[in-house]
Amino acid sequence: LAHTAHPWLSGGIRHRRSDDIIDRLLSALQAAVEYNPNGEELLGASVDLSKYFDRLNIDQCVHLAESLGLPTTLAQTLRSFYHRRSIWLARQGCVADAPIRPSGGLLQGCALSMLLVVLHMSCWAQCLQMIAPAVQFGCFVDDRTLWIRDKYQ
Protein backbone atom coordinates (compact mmCIF):
# COMPACT_ATOMS: atom_id res chain seq x y z
CA LEU A 1 0.00 0.00 0.00
CA ALA A 2 2.84 2.40 0.80
CA HIS A 3 4.08 1.95 -2.78
CA THR A 4 0.68 2.77 -4.29
CA ALA A 5 -0.38 5.63 -2.02
CA HIS A 6 0.62 9.18 -2.83
CA PRO A 7 3.75 10.12 -0.82
CA TRP A 8 1.99 13.00 0.97
CA LEU A 9 -0.68 10.74 2.50
CA SER A 10 -0.60 9.52 6.08
CA GLY A 11 -3.04 7.52 8.18
CA GLY A 12 -3.71 3.88 7.44
CA ILE A 13 -0.29 3.53 5.82
CA ARG A 14 2.56 1.79 7.61
CA HIS A 15 5.40 4.06 8.76
CA ARG A 16 3.53 7.25 7.86
CA ARG A 17 2.31 9.53 10.64
CA SER A 18 0.45 12.81 11.03
CA ASP A 19 3.78 14.23 12.26
CA ASP A 20 5.06 13.92 8.69
CA ILE A 21 2.45 16.42 7.51
CA ILE A 22 3.20 18.79 10.39
CA ASP A 23 6.95 18.60 9.69
CA ARG A 24 6.43 19.48 6.01
CA LEU A 25 4.12 22.37 6.89
CA LEU A 26 6.54 23.73 9.50
CA SER A 27 9.38 23.53 6.96
CA ALA A 28 7.30 25.53 4.48
CA LEU A 29 6.50 28.11 7.17
CA GLN A 30 10.14 28.38 8.15
CA ALA A 31 11.21 28.81 4.53
CA ALA A 32 8.56 31.50 4.04
CA VAL A 33 9.91 33.43 7.04
CA GLU A 34 13.66 32.91 6.54
CA TYR A 35 13.97 33.09 2.77
CA ASN A 36 11.41 35.34 1.23
CA PRO A 37 13.03 37.90 -1.12
CA ASN A 38 9.79 38.64 -2.98
CA GLY A 39 7.56 39.16 0.04
CA GLU A 40 5.48 36.09 -0.72
CA GLU A 41 2.85 34.91 1.68
CA LEU A 42 2.13 31.34 2.66
CA LEU A 43 -1.56 30.61 2.17
CA GLY A 44 -3.16 27.55 3.68
CA ALA A 45 -6.34 25.72 4.49
CA SER A 46 -7.36 22.85 6.68
CA VAL A 47 -10.30 20.71 5.59
CA ASP A 48 -12.06 18.02 7.61
CA LEU A 49 -14.38 16.10 5.30
CA SER A 50 -17.59 15.41 7.20
CA LYS A 51 -19.07 11.93 7.01
CA TYR A 52 -16.19 10.88 4.75
CA PHE A 53 -16.61 7.11 5.23
CA ASP A 54 -20.40 7.43 4.95
CA ARG A 55 -20.22 9.27 1.62
CA LEU A 56 -17.82 7.02 -0.25
CA ASN A 57 -19.24 4.90 -3.05
CA ILE A 58 -18.29 1.24 -2.61
CA ASP A 59 -18.44 0.44 -6.33
CA GLN A 60 -16.18 3.35 -7.19
CA CYS A 61 -13.69 2.43 -4.43
CA VAL A 62 -13.60 -1.26 -5.37
CA HIS A 63 -13.21 -0.41 -9.07
CA LEU A 64 -10.24 1.79 -8.19
CA ALA A 65 -8.73 -1.01 -6.08
CA GLU A 66 -9.25 -3.52 -8.91
CA SER A 67 -7.49 -1.23 -11.36
CA LEU A 68 -4.52 -1.28 -8.98
CA GLY A 69 -4.44 -5.07 -8.67
CA LEU A 70 -7.06 -6.11 -6.08
CA PRO A 71 -7.94 -9.76 -6.86
CA THR A 72 -11.31 -10.16 -8.56
CA THR A 73 -12.58 -12.62 -5.95
CA LEU A 74 -11.88 -10.14 -3.12
CA ALA A 75 -13.52 -7.34 -5.14
CA GLN A 76 -16.63 -9.49 -5.66
CA THR A 77 -16.72 -10.37 -1.96
CA LEU A 78 -16.50 -6.70 -0.96
CA ARG A 79 -19.25 -5.67 -3.36
CA SER A 80 -21.49 -8.52 -2.23
CA PHE A 81 -20.93 -7.72 1.45
CA TYR A 82 -21.68 -4.01 1.06
CA HIS A 83 -24.70 -4.49 -1.21
CA ARG A 84 -26.24 -7.06 1.16
CA ARG A 85 -25.48 -5.45 4.51
CA SER A 86 -28.22 -4.22 6.78
CA ILE A 87 -28.09 -1.98 9.83
CA TRP A 88 -30.30 -1.91 12.89
CA LEU A 89 -30.94 1.59 14.19
CA ALA A 90 -31.06 2.12 17.95
CA ARG A 91 -31.46 5.22 20.08
CA GLN A 92 -31.87 5.65 23.80
CA GLY A 93 -32.60 1.97 24.31
CA CYS A 94 -35.15 1.73 21.49
CA VAL A 95 -34.43 -0.44 18.46
CA ALA A 96 -36.14 -0.11 15.07
CA ASP A 97 -38.62 -2.80 14.04
CA ALA A 98 -36.67 -3.67 10.91
CA PRO A 99 -33.13 -3.14 9.61
CA ILE A 100 -32.31 -0.67 6.86
CA ARG A 101 -30.04 -1.15 3.87
CA PRO A 102 -27.62 1.75 3.53
CA SER A 103 -27.20 3.06 0.00
CA GLY A 104 -23.48 3.77 0.38
CA GLY A 105 -20.58 4.31 2.68
CA LEU A 106 -17.78 2.23 4.13
CA LEU A 107 -17.58 0.73 7.59
CA GLN A 108 -15.19 2.56 9.90
CA GLY A 109 -12.77 0.38 11.81
CA CYS A 110 -12.47 -2.25 9.07
CA ALA A 111 -8.97 -2.81 7.66
CA LEU A 112 -10.33 -3.26 4.14
CA SER A 113 -12.21 0.04 4.45
CA MET A 114 -8.93 1.77 5.29
CA LEU A 115 -7.35 0.23 2.20
CA LEU A 116 -10.16 1.63 0.05
CA VAL A 117 -9.98 5.03 1.78
CA VAL A 118 -6.22 5.29 1.20
CA LEU A 119 -6.67 4.46 -2.49
CA HIS A 120 -9.48 7.01 -2.78
CA MET A 121 -7.36 9.69 -1.06
CA SER A 122 -4.42 8.84 -3.30
CA CYS A 123 -6.55 9.32 -6.42
CA TRP A 124 -7.66 12.74 -5.08
CA ALA A 125 -4.03 13.65 -4.31
CA GLN A 126 -2.83 12.73 -7.79
CA CYS A 127 -5.63 14.76 -9.40
CA LEU A 128 -4.83 17.76 -7.21
CA GLN A 129 -1.16 17.60 -8.15
CA MET A 130 -2.03 17.48 -11.85
CA ILE A 131 -4.33 20.52 -11.77
CA ALA A 132 -2.47 22.57 -9.12
CA PRO A 133 1.17 21.43 -9.00
CA ALA A 134 2.28 24.36 -6.81
CA VAL A 135 -0.09 23.35 -4.00
CA GLN A 136 1.50 21.26 -1.28
CA PHE A 137 -0.68 19.19 0.99
CA GLY A 138 -0.95 16.40 3.47
CA CYS A 139 -3.84 14.04 4.11
CA PHE A 140 -4.57 12.02 7.22
CA VAL A 141 -7.65 9.89 6.50
CA ASP A 142 -10.41 12.54 6.12
CA ASP A 143 -8.33 15.54 7.24
CA ARG A 144 -6.53 17.54 4.56
CA THR A 145 -4.09 20.41 4.95
CA LEU A 146 -3.11 22.43 1.88
CA TRP A 147 -0.66 25.29 1.45
CA ILE A 148 0.97 27.35 -1.29
CA ARG A 149 3.37 30.24 -1.47
CA ASP A 150 1.57 33.20 -2.99
CA LYS A 151 3.67 34.49 -5.86
CA TYR A 152 0.93 36.62 -7.39
CA GLN A 153 0.48 39.60 -5.06
Side-chain angles (χ1 to χ4, degrees):
L1 185 59
H3 301 2
T4 303
H6 190 280
W8 291 352
L9 302 182
S10 301
I13 306 168
R14 189 178 189 154
H15 302 299
R16 297 196 195 174
R17 309 173 332 270
S18 58
D19 294 353
D20 299 333
I21 299 168
I22 295 167
D23 290 344
R24 289 185 41 251
L25 178 57
L26 289 175
S27 293
L29 284 169
Q30 186 174 4
V33 169
E34 291 178 3
Y35 178 74
N36 194 356
N38 300 326
E40 298 169 345
E41 294 181 0
L42 187 68
L43 306 175
S46 180
V47 180
D48 181 2
L49 301 173
S50 66
K51 306 282 186 193
Y52 183 62
F53 282 79
D54 295 334
R55 294 179 185 198
L56 288 174
N57 178 294
I58 185 63
D59 292 318
Q60 184 183 60
C61 290
V62 172
H63 178 74
L64 179 60
E66 279 182 300
S67 71
L68 295 169
L70 183 74
T72 303
T73 53
L74 182 53
Q76 289 171 340
T77 301
L78 277 170
R79 280 192 188 97
S80 175
F81 170 78
Y82 273 100
H83 290 298
R84 291 177 163 189
R85 74 181 167 143
S86 57
I87 297 174
W88 288 88
L89 298 177
R91 182 173 172 138
Q92 298 178 345
C94 297
V95 179
D97 292 334
I100 63 166
R101 291 198 182 259
S103 60
L106 300 179
L107 295 173
Q108 292 188 42
C110 171
L112 289 175
S113 292
M114 277 308 300
L115 166 74
L116 297 175
V117 163
V118 167
L119 295 176
H120 187 266
M121 288 188 324
S122 195
C123 184
W124 173 86
Q126 290 171 3
C127 289
L128 178 62
Q129 265 203 313
M130 285 190 314
I131 55 178
V135 174
Q136 295 187 51
F137 59 90
C139 298
F140 189 88
V141 188
D142 61 347
D143 298 316
R144 297 165 188 208
T145 303
L146 304 96
W147 63 94
I148 186 171
R149 288 188 72 165
D150 183 12
K151 299 176 183 180
Y152 309 103
Q153 293 186 15

